């Protein structure tokens, strides 16, 4: 609604410097409200994790995180995260190249489909693989006949993790490469560079921080995924349990202290992710502001 | 359809081929399996599965709690974003970095932590219990979990828009005699509205499908505190594939609709970061 001129005129003339910000007490109140909200929803839960983890002392804590089932969960989590990062990085680079360097019909549909796993419920993400590869699934009988195990086994866990982290790197690279345009790559081509050379010497140095940023997000989500993995894993202790599933099992066995001890490992990971994300984010923003300067240092 | 590219750079065939193959293998074929499996049911069976009283109660909780969580985040999110962009205070960088904690913290960890906090013996639950406000194992607990996981969306969507607001606009309003309250409510907030709605929709979409952070605090009582994603898992564990598939299809259609709505909002606001 546009303000009417006579309505505006009724306000007294104000000191412009004061009129461009809020009165001091309003600023204080807003800061207090924001900080209380952050403290209540973020800081207190963080403190709770470590307080509960150390409930029964350091000895109990270290036993909980060093027992064989916990260690095998760490291993499985690392394996699933590794595959997610590698596969989705390759996909992120390929899809961003195809989408930003060329024009073709159906581009916006393709981008929407890439985004789809982002809004699909993790439980549905697990369900689709059970319906495809499970015993009752479409390929179930064939897999059984050939003695191949996907559901309740490592491949299923990797697939579900890859699915939930599917758009993370791609969605970072597409807008970045769109912004940077193709001039530098085209110049390199005119100067005689081949496709591989263009990618490694021109494109990759330009997008390295964006790629790393996407990898950090992808890795964090992969290591922490719970719902999707829960559906496909079968919860076989020591075999198909990732760290978040191990937390759930300990919790359901009423071993709360051990559950929080293992949870504290994942919380460390989350805090590390936030630090890495902030540091890489600074580099990333800088490289976005001066793509030309970044490219020069990359080629030189 | 002829898949012709315009552009002089090499690699279209290779990258496009890989993109489509990978997208099909990981996303499209498994999703098609879900749709295909649901077609083995008759329409009447499907409708019966997705509208049974227990399922209807779970929709009510899931969408109701997601909506309340998104509304809480839209109010506090705009305050947090405003304070982080406009004011200076000690520890601001730390607070800014912490906003992403719900993205980074695994949902299962969030779930057991919030349950411990809000249980009747917990740090916060102990304070609320005498007031007659039980949180853990009630729908309110579901709201708390969904507020937690949706927290970064509104803040992170609003921050870049607030940063790029043209200061000339506010100066113009002042020079025309507008007071601060008038400038904020009539000039700044309307400009933020599209991004504000986008951020809240993202929080809502995330909350609707959420599982890990909710199942611990909800108590999971049928008809009372059972969310829809949990119902899918329950049906799977009972080998009720028809039931799981039907609810899965409903959830998928809802997420796809929300995605299209959010994309449309984003194309109008120019906000493109989704995480």
């Amino acid at each position: 609604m546009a303000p009417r001129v006579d309505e505006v005129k009724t306000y007294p003339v104000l000191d412009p410097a004061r009129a461009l910000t809020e009165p001091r007490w309003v600023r204080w109140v807003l800061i207090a409200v924001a900080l209380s909200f952050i403290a209540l929803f973020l800081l207190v839960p963080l403190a709770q994790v470590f307080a509960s983890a150390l409930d029964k002392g350091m000895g109990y804590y270290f036993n909980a995180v060093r027992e064989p089932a916990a260690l095998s969960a760490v291993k499985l989590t690392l394996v699933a995260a590794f595959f997610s990062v590698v596969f989705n990085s390759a996909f992120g680079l390929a899809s961003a190249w195809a989408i930003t360097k060329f024009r073709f019909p159906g581009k916006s549909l393709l981008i929407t489909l890439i985004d789809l796993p982002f809004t699909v419920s993790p439980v549905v993400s697990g369900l689709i693989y059970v319906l495809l590869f499970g015993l009752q699934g479409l390929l179930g009988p064939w897999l059984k006949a050939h003695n191949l195990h996907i559901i309740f086994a490592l491949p299923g866990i990797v697939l579900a993790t890859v699915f939930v982290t599917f758009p993370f790197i791609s969605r970072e690279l597409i807008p970045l490469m769109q912004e940077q345009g193709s001039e530098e790559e085209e110049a390199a081509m005119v100067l005689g560079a081949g496709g591989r050379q263009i990618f490694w010497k021109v494109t990759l140095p330009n997008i390295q921080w964006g790629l790393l940023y996407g990898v950090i997000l992808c890795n964090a989500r992969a290591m922490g995924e719970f719902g999707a993995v829960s559906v496909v894993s079968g919860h076989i202790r020591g075999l198909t349990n990732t760290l978040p599933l191990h937390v759930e099992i300990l919790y359901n066995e009423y071993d709360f202290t051990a559950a929080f001890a293992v949870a504290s490992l994942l919380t460390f990971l989350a805090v590390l992710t936030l630090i890495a994300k902030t540091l890489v984010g600074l580099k990333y923003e800088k490289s976005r502001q001066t793509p030309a300067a970044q490219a020069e240092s990359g080629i030189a | 359809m002829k898949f012709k590219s315009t552009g002089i750079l090499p690699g279209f065939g290779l990258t496009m081929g890989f993109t489509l193959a990978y997208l099909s293998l990981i996303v499209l074929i498994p999703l098609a399996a879900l749709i295909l499996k649901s077609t083995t049911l008759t329409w009447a069976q499907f409708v019966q599965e997705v509208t049974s009283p227990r399922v209807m109660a779970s929709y009510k909780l899931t969408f109701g709690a997601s909506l309340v969580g998104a509304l809480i985040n839209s109010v506090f999110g705009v305050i947090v974003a405003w304070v982080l962009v406009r004011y200076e205070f000690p520890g601001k960088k730390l607070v800014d970095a912490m906003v992403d904690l719900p993205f980074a913290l695994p949902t299962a960890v969030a779930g057991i932590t919030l349950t411990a906090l809000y249980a009747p013996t917990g740090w916060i639950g102990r304070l609320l219990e005498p007031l007659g406000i039980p949180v853990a194992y009630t729908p309110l607990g579901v709201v708390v979990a969904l507020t937690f996981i949706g927290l970064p969306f509104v803040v992170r969507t609003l921050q870049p828009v607030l940063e790029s607001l043209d200061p000339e606009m506010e100066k113009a309003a002042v020079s025309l005699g507008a007071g601060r309250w008038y400038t904020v409510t009539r000039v700044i907030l309307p400009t933020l509205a599209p991004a504000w709605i986008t951020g809240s929709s993202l929080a809502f979409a995330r909350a609707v499908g959420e599982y890990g952070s909710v199942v611990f605090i909800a108590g999971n009582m049928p008809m009372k505190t059972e969310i829809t994603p949990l119902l899918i898992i329950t049906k799977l564990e009972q080998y009720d594939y028809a039931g799981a598939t039907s609810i899965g299809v409903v959830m998928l259609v809802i997420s796809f609709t929300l995605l299209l709505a959010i994309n449309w909002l984003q194309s109008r606001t120019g906000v493109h970061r989704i995480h």
Side-chain angles (χ1 to χ4, degrees):
Chain A
M1 194 172 63
R4 295 199 323 275
V5 174
D6 55 327
E7 200 181 335
V8 175
K9 266 187 183 162
T10 59
Y11 284 85
V13 180
L14 294 164
D15 171 13
R18 274 189 62 193
L20 280 174
T21 185
E22 290 73 46
R24 183 183 290 255
W25 69 269
V26 175
R27 275 180 282 166
W28 278 95
V29 168
L30 287 178
I31 291 175
V33 169
L35 291 185
S36 311
F37 184 68
I38 296 285
L40 178 68
F41 271 95
L42 302 180
L43 213 53
V44 174
L46 265 188
Q48 173 81 62
V49 172
F50 293 106
S52 302
L54 295 170
D55 214 17
K56 293 182 183 162
M58 295 300 267
Y60 199 90
Y61 178 87
F62 283 110
N63 275 339
V65 298
R66 276 196 313 215
E67 59 148 334
L71 290 180
S72 85
V74 170
K75 221 170 93 188
L76 188 56
T77 297
L78 291 176
V79 169
F82 172 80
F83 280 115
S84 300
V85 167
V86 171
F87 290 166
N88 287 330
S89 294
F91 171 70
L93 290 168
S95 61
W97 184 273
I99 286 169
T100 62
K101 304 295 183 202
F102 306 97
R103 271 188 291 177
F104 55 88
K107 190 187 272 191
S108 60
L109 175 70
L110 179 62
I111 295 176
T112 304
L113 289 176
I114 291 174
D115 270 348
L116 189 55
F118 185 75
T119 46
V120 170
S121 168
V123 172
V124 175
S125 314
L127 174 72
I128 56 176
Y129 290 108
V130 172
L131 294 178
L132 191 58
F133 300 120
L135 262 187
Q136 304 289 320
L138 296 173
L139 299 177
W142 186 86
L143 289 168
K144 194 177 156 62
H146 291 78
N147 203 23
L148 294 169
H149 301 281
I150 294 184
I151 299 304
F152 304 153
L154 179 66
I157 293 172
V158 171
L159 274 173
T161 312
V162 168
F163 182 95
V164 293
T165 53
F166 189 87
F168 279 65
I169 295 170
S170 192
R171 285 306 285 173
E172 216 54 62
L173 292 181
I174 293 170
L176 177 63
M177 283 169 67
Q178 195 89 60
E179 220 169 80
Q180 291 179 338
S182 302
E183 284 90 357
E184 289 179 26
E185 281 87 353
E186 282 163 9
M189 209 177 95
V190 169
L191 293 171
R196 207 172 292 177
Q197 240 179 330
I198 296 175
F199 175 75
W200 287 107
K201 301 225 160 148
V202 180
T203 308
L204 200 59
N206 273 346
I207 61 169
Q208 55 184 356
W209 293 111
L211 178 63
L212 188 57
Y213 195 82
V215 164
I216 291 169
L217 297 177
C218 175
N219 177 65
R221 178 69 197 269
M223 288 190 172
E225 179 49 31
F226 177 68
V229 172
S230 176
V231 175
V232 296
S233 106
H235 303 275
I236 307 165
R237 203 177 184 144
L239 275 181
T240 62
N241 261 346
T242 60
L243 273 178
L245 295 179
H246 189 55
V247 169
E248 184 198 22
I249 289 197
L250 291 169
Y251 188 86
N252 288 341
E253 287 170 351
Y254 299 102
D255 193 348
F256 297 134
T257 311
F260 276 103
V262 177
S264 77
L265 295 181
L266 288 165
T267 309
F268 274 126
L269 174 80
V271 172
L272 271 181
T273 300
L274 291 186
I275 295 171
K277 191 173 174 288
T278 308
L279 295 179
V280 171
L282 289 174
K283 287 269 190 192
Y284 184 18
E285 286 305 317
K286 218 181 244 173
S287 76
R288 282 182 99 150
Q289 280 157 5
T290 55
Q294 178 72 26
E296 267 170 30
S297 66
I299 291 171
Chain B
M1 182 173 66
K2 208 166 162 212
F3 236 44
K4 199 165 170 287
S5 72
T6 49
I8 57 160
L9 292 169
F12 181 73
L14 177 73
T15 55
M16 195 64 193
F18 179 71
T19 299
L20 291 179
Y22 187 77
L23 179 71
S24 304
L25 277 175
I26 302 289
V27 180
L28 300 182
I29 294 173
L31 286 176
L34 174 70
I35 307 289
L36 207 67
K37 194 87 183 168
S38 73
T39 57
T40 57
L41 283 99
T42 66
W43 179 249
Q45 278 173 313
F46 176 81
V47 171
Q48 201 196 350
E49 288 287 354
V50 301
T51 56
S52 76
R54 189 170 165 191
V55 181
M56 293 303 273
S58 83
Y59 297 146
K60 222 168 108 188
L61 175 67
T62 304
F63 289 100
S66 299
L67 191 66
V68 176
L71 286 176
I72 295 173
N73 277 322
S74 72
V75 172
F76 287 96
V78 73
I79 297 176
V80 172
W82 180 267
V83 162
L84 285 176
V85 173
R86 291 290 174 110
Y87 303 154
E88 290 303 326
F89 54 92
K92 180 169 133 169
K93 285 217 170 82
L94 192 69
V95 173
D96 195 2
M98 269 193 73
V99 167
D100 283 322
L101 183 71
F103 283 150
L105 193 71
T107 53
V109 177
I112 64 168
T113 307
L114 293 173
T115 312
L117 274 177
Y118 288 92
T121 51
W123 293 349
I124 299 176
R126 205 162 34 200
L127 306 175
L128 296 174
E129 194 75 2
L131 306 173
I133 315 172
V135 179
Y137 319 121
T138 71
L140 195 56
V142 180
V143 170
V144 167
L146 295 180
T147 305
F148 174 83
I149 57 127
L151 193 149
F153 290 95
V154 179
V155 181
R156 289 298 185 234
T157 318
L158 280 176
Q159 258 177 324
V161 183
L162 262 174
E163 271 160 10
S164 64
L165 271 190
D166 188 1
E168 292 304 317
M169 204 170 61
E170 283 166 62
K171 283 184 195 157
V174 172
S175 71
L176 288 170
R180 188 60 188 165
W181 177 249
Y182 196 90
T183 311
V184 169
T185 54
R186 295 291 181 89
V187 179
I188 298 177
L189 290 186
T191 321
L192 293 181
W196 201 350
I197 298 168
T198 306
S200 309
S201 316
L202 284 168
F204 178 76
R206 171 73 206 267
V208 166
E210 179 57 18
Y211 172 71
S213 59
V214 179
V215 281
F216 297 97
I217 201 169
N220 308 329
M221 275 175 296
M223 306 298 295
K224 287 204 181 94
T225 57
E226 192 175 48
I227 53 166
T228 314
L230 174 71
L231 210 48
I232 295 178
I233 290 199
T234 310
K235 300 224 173 225
L236 264 185
E237 279 169 358
Q238 294 164 348
Y239 303 103
D240 177 4
Y241 286 87
T245 305
S246 309
I247 304 172
V249 168
V250 170
M251 292 292 286
L252 182 67
V253 169
I254 290 166
S255 14
F256 196 63
T257 313
L258 282 171
L259 177 66
L260 289 179
I262 290 165
N263 273 359
W264 180 77
L265 274 168
Q266 283 177 331
S267 71
R268 285 177 54 102
T269 55
V271 182
H272 280 292
R273 299 182 66 98
I274 54 172
H275 40 244

